[in-house]
Amino acid sequence: MEEYIIVSKQPSIVIVESSKISMRLDAGNYRQDYLVNRDRIRNSIFGSKKLVELLVKPSFRGRGFPENPSGQDPVIKVRNVTNYGITGPYDYIDATGISKSDRAWARKGDVLLTVTGLGSSGKADLFFFDTPMLVDGHVAILRCSSKCDAGFLKAFLSSSYGQKLSEQDTIGSTGQIELYGSYIDQFDIPYPDHKIQAYIGDKVRLAERCREEAGRLIEQAKADLVSTLSFDLYTPPSTSSSSGSGYRLLGIKPGCILVESVLIGNSLLPTRYQAQYLDRDMLLVDHGLELISLEDIASGFINGFDCRDFKSSGTPYLRVGNIRPNELDLSGVMYIEIQPTSLPKKFHLTSGDLLITRKGSYGFCTSVTKEMEQMVFSSEIIRVPLHKGWDADYIALFLNSPYGRYQFDRLGTGTTMKGINHENLADIKVPEVSYEAQKIIGGKVRLSMALNEKSKDLISEACRDVEDLIDAGLVTASILSGEMQAPTWNEVHQNLLTNLSYA
């Protein structure tokens, strides 16, 4: 008898050979697509091995740690593993008393796999930091032996084939989903020649190099911004409880404040003139910064349009979730059938525009690059065309800083879902500096954004390579002969420097 026979697809009926039935008897584990998925991996041209055969020791989890607000040591949790690289924000603890030999330390080259939570389990990333970090008990550590390239393993686990394995072997329901080590160790892993593994794994490692450089550049841009303004935007100010140089408290109950006219904007709502906001206003003024309102440097504020008819392909449709501070995340972008050319001109993205989210996670800012000009955007995003002499990435970097964020907090409106409207957005201020200084800062932000996007592209490419390998569509002969090689850092970096611009 064959290992399994598909009797019917609708309804789903499968007969499985008894020797192939594991300790689990729930029908979901023997779904047709799951069985076919494992079959394709096992029967791929280079064969397969069980994951446990490729590891230094069987998969193991980190462990739980009590959070310490004053701790200095980050802990990797499920939310930090994304399939596109391990990223913060992290929870912190004090790891002083934790032995460096403790199992919970991830080392460079480990593959981390999330193992709990509906919609959260099955995410995999390569740990590629030089300094070990602690791992939470909801994340498994896979430490590869010399038989397996860690980058290749990450790409496989993040591919459609690897994701199916994780789905098949999860157990439980709702938020109590678990992926046990005994099942992970029995994953079927394609096992090509090490040159092919390295070809795919090198793309994953290059993706990590791009992310690392992107992080370095954004920090450098922040340092340049601080240096240009001669003011540290990233150190929380010590707010006054009684008075500032631009206002005076006349009474605490009821709260009465006498405010200088220089600090009064378009709105007279008393909530806009709390001491915590006024102190920050005065710090900017007292440091001699020339501030200018967005309404004076923008030619308008334009909302996108609503659309709910999403497709698997078509025109990319930007939503709030795709925009992060100084970053565009297209890994989860949705598509619509509407073509940009069929829309009024106001809905067209133009390189050099500023984009600001106006609802939900409102006040996140980024810029429009040349590559985004064929995209359209939702009504929860505001497009801000700028006058000449203003760099969108410089403005976005300032507005994403604590001194930009407090303005959004101050001017936001709403109760159940707070947001920012055009009138209040016009009142937000940015420091006026030379265009040359803006371009230096903005250029680093743009390159950082491009490197982050390239990192995600490389991960997606590596996953497709694994899928093509299993489907016999990867040109393995060219890889084995050395004719086809993975891209290098110098090639990627030079290409981005050459092509990156607003226009």
Side-chain angles (χ1 to χ4, degrees):
M1 178 181 171
E2 298 178 32
E3 290 187 0
Y4 64 89
I5 299 173
I6 298 175
V7 177
S8 169
K9 292 186 176 180
Q10 293 291 338
S12 177
I13 302 175
V14 182
I15 299 175
V16 181
E17 185 184 351
S18 59
S19 63
K20 300 303 177 183
I21 296 177
S22 67
M23 65 186 79
R24 290 181 61 183
L25 293 176
D26 53 295
N29 192 243
Y30 300 96
R31 264 174 35 184
Q32 298 169 18
D33 56 334
Y34 290 156
L35 295 173
V36 170
N37 185 66
R38 280 192 186 266
D39 237 10
R40 287 180 176 171
I41 297 169
R42 290 169 181 162
N43 297 329
S44 58
I45 188 170
F46 291 98
S48 66
K49 288 186 179 295
K50 296 297 183 183
L51 177 57
V52 71
E53 300 176 55
L54 306 176
L55 302 178
V56 173
K57 56 182 177 179
S59 60
F60 56 98
R61 294 191 187 191
R63 60 187 178 88
F65 298 99
E67 187 178 348
N68 182 352
S70 61
Q72 300 296 314
D73 302 286
V75 177
I76 297 172
K77 297 196 169 188
V78 168
R79 69 171 181 272
N80 302 121
V81 181
T82 69
N83 272 334
Y84 290 94
I86 297 163
T87 187
Y90 302 100
D91 287 348
Y92 287 84
I93 68 163
D94 181 2
T96 306
I98 301 174
S99 169
K100 291 301 179 183
S101 62
D102 191 290
R103 71 175 190 185
W105 290 101
R107 305 173 189 170
K108 189 171 186 177
D110 287 346
V111 177
L112 304 187
L113 179 68
T114 58
V115 294
T116 63
L118 183 64
S120 299
S121 64
K123 295 182 295 180
D125 277 322
L126 179 66
F127 184 85
F128 211 62
F129 301 104
D130 291 323
T131 305
M133 289 172 64
L134 288 164
V135 176
D136 180 76
H138 299 291
V139 179
I141 301 174
L142 313 179
R143 190 158 291 158
C144 293
S145 69
S146 59
K147 297 178 183 178
C148 183
D149 184 288
F152 171 79
L153 177 60
K154 177 269 178 293
F156 169 74
L157 292 174
S158 295
S159 73
S160 59
Y161 285 99
Q163 293 290 287
K164 275 273 191 238
L165 288 181
S166 293
E167 289 173 20
Q168 179 180 9
D169 283 331
T170 52
I171 192 168
S173 59
T174 62
Q176 303 305 312
I177 288 278
E178 291 278 345
L179 184 57
Y180 293 120
S182 57
Y183 296 138
I184 296 171
D185 292 337
Q186 295 305 306
F187 279 2
D188 294 290
I189 310 297
Y191 194 64
D193 184 280
H194 195 76
K195 286 184 179 179
I196 298 171
Q197 291 187 39
Y199 169 80
I200 296 172
D202 283 345
K203 293 183 180 181
V204 175
R205 285 180 282 276
L206 180 56
E208 291 298 324
R209 173 77 184 273
C210 289
R211 285 199 329 119
E212 180 184 15
E213 180 64 12
R216 189 189 68 79
L217 278 168
I218 203 70
E219 291 304 316
Q220 197 175 84
K222 290 178 181 178
D224 288 350
L225 180 61
V226 168
S227 176
T228 299
L229 299 179
S230 300
F231 177 65
D232 188 356
L233 299 166
Y234 298 95
T235 299
S238 54
T239 57
S240 167
S241 60
S242 57
S243 66
S245 57
Y247 69 93
R248 183 156 52 92
L249 288 177
L250 300 180
I252 297 178
K253 290 187 177 180
C256 297
I257 299 180
L258 183 65
V259 184
E260 284 190 9
S261 59
V262 69
L263 298 181
I264 296 177
N266 291 330
S267 173
L268 295 178
L269 286 174
T271 53
R272 308 282 165 83
Y273 301 98
Q274 299 175 36
Q276 58 176 325
Y277 299 139
L278 295 169
D279 282 335
R280 287 169 170 79
D281 282 352
M282 285 313 305
L283 280 171
L284 295 173
V285 172
D286 291 345
H287 277 79
L289 298 179
E290 295 292 331
L291 302 175
I292 188 166
S293 300
L294 280 186
E295 67 176 343
D296 294 325
I297 63 176
S299 56
F301 303 105
I302 304 134
N303 294 349
F305 62 96
D306 286 318
C307 184
R308 295 290 181 268
D309 187 17
F310 300 127
K311 306 294 181 182
S312 58
S313 62
T315 300
Y317 179 70
L318 291 182
R319 298 179 297 166
V320 168
N322 300 121
I323 296 180
R324 299 175 183 174
N326 300 112
E327 186 179 347
L328 190 69
D329 181 13
L330 297 181
S331 59
V333 72
M334 304 298 288
Y335 297 87
I336 60 175
E337 286 185 339
I338 301 172
Q339 293 301 313
T341 51
S342 67
L343 294 169
K345 189 174 181 180
K346 67 178 182 177
F347 295 133
H348 292 198
L349 291 176
T350 304
S351 57
D353 287 351
L354 181 68
L355 293 182
I356 302 175
T357 57
R358 74 179 188 93
K359 282 188 177 180
S361 299
Y362 73 98
F364 286 179
C365 307
T366 190
S367 67
V368 178
T369 60
K370 185 179 179 181
E371 293 72 24
M372 295 165 59
E373 291 190 333
Q374 294 306 307
M375 301 178 185
V376 293
F377 59 108
S378 82
S379 62
E380 296 181 347
I381 297 172
I382 301 175
R383 179 173 75 88
V384 185
L386 301 171
H387 296 319
K388 287 185 178 180
W390 288 93
D391 184 283
D393 288 296
Y394 159 78
I395 295 174
L397 187 67
F398 174 79
L399 293 181
N400 288 323
S401 78
Y403 274 80
R405 291 301 313 161
Y406 94 79
Q407 295 188 70
F408 285 107
D409 291 340
R410 177 187 199 175
L411 299 171
T413 59
T415 52
T416 55
M417 181 176 285
K418 205 170 180 182
I420 189 87
N421 58 37
H422 291 189
E423 179 185 3
N424 295 328
L425 188 61
D427 209 23
I428 284 180
K429 297 178 175 60
V430 296
E432 187 171 8
V433 300
S434 72
Y435 187 48
E436 289 303 314
Q438 292 182 46
K439 286 197 295 182
I440 291 171
I441 295 168
K444 292 176 180 177
V445 175
R446 280 192 293 285
L447 183 54
S448 174
M449 288 175 60
L451 284 165
N452 270 322
E453 198 54 40
K454 183 61 179 179
S455 174
K456 292 168 186 171
D457 288 345
L458 285 164
I459 294 292
S460 297
E461 191 176 319
C463 292
R464 287 194 297 271
D465 285 346
V466 171
E467 292 161 2
D468 289 343
L469 172 73
I470 295 170
D471 296 336
L474 188 66
V475 188
T476 54
S478 297
I479 298 171
L480 291 171
S481 69
E483 181 183 347
M484 190 162 71
Q485 298 182 348
T488 65
W489 164 252
N490 287 337
E491 292 168 351
V492 167
H493 191 237
Q494 189 56 50
N495 184 58
L496 290 177
L497 287 174
T498 302
N499 298 316
L500 188 64
S501 66
Y502 276 146

